[in-house]
């Protein structure tokens, strides 16, 4: 089996349905970040905030899918920075994603 990567969807990955055909989809709480919706933007931003958290979806992707998602989000052009963070699954388990 190929290596899998856990991705957290909180905006366009959810509204565009990128999670629907992925494996291991779970509701999660993203810890230490806050989701905001800046006026005039159609997608949310996430900012570090040690006192905040928000609900999202965690799903697993292959390396190839991760590269495609990075391209879609603008990682190569510097628009978005992927980072690992701690999440709490609905069942209470904490893990890095």
């Amino acid at each position: 089996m190929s290596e899998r990567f856990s991705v957290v969807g909180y905006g366009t990955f959810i509204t565009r349905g990128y999670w629907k055909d992925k494996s291991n989809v779970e509701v999660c709480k993203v810890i230490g970040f806050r989701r905001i919706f800046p006026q005039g933007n159609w997608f949310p931003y996430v900012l570090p905030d040690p006192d905040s958290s928000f609900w999202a979806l965690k799903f697993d992707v292959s390396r190839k899918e991760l590269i495609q998602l990075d391209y879609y989000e603008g990682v190569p052009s510097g628009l978005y920075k992927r980072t690992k963070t701690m999440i709490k699954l609905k069942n209470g388990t904490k893990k890095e994603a």
Side-chain angles (χ1 to χ4, degrees):
M1 181 178 216
S2 64
E3 186 176 13
R4 306 298 289 173
F5 301 87
S6 291
V7 173
V8 174
Y10 58 85
T12 53
F13 288 175
I14 294 175
T15 59
R16 302 271 184 197
Y18 290 126
W19 58 274
K20 289 183 179 180
D21 65 343
K22 304 300 183 251
S23 65
N24 204 17
V25 178
E26 298 181 72
V27 173
C28 70
K29 185 177 270 192
V30 180
I31 302 166
F33 287 87
R34 155 174 61 102
R35 183 173 49 192
I36 63 168
F37 296 88
Q39 188 173 356
N41 288 295
W42 59 274
F43 52 88
Y45 289 68
V46 172
L47 301 173
D49 183 343
D51 299 322
S52 294
S53 63
F54 66 91
W55 292 103
L57 285 181
K58 190 266 318 164
F59 54 91
D60 295 341
V61 298
S62 67
R63 179 173 298 283
K64 180 180 177 183
E65 290 170 321
L66 183 63
I67 291 167
Q68 291 169 337
L69 292 174
D70 279 352
Y71 180 79
Y72 176 79
E73 287 292 292
V75 172
S77 64
L79 180 63
Y80 172 81
K81 179 183 174 189
R82 179 168 30 100
T83 185
K84 289 184 179 183
T85 190
M86 190 59 64
I87 61 170
K88 185 176 182 180
L89 302 176
K90 199 171 180 182
N91 68 9
T93 304
K94 289 185 178 181
K95 71 173 286 182
E96 191 175 68

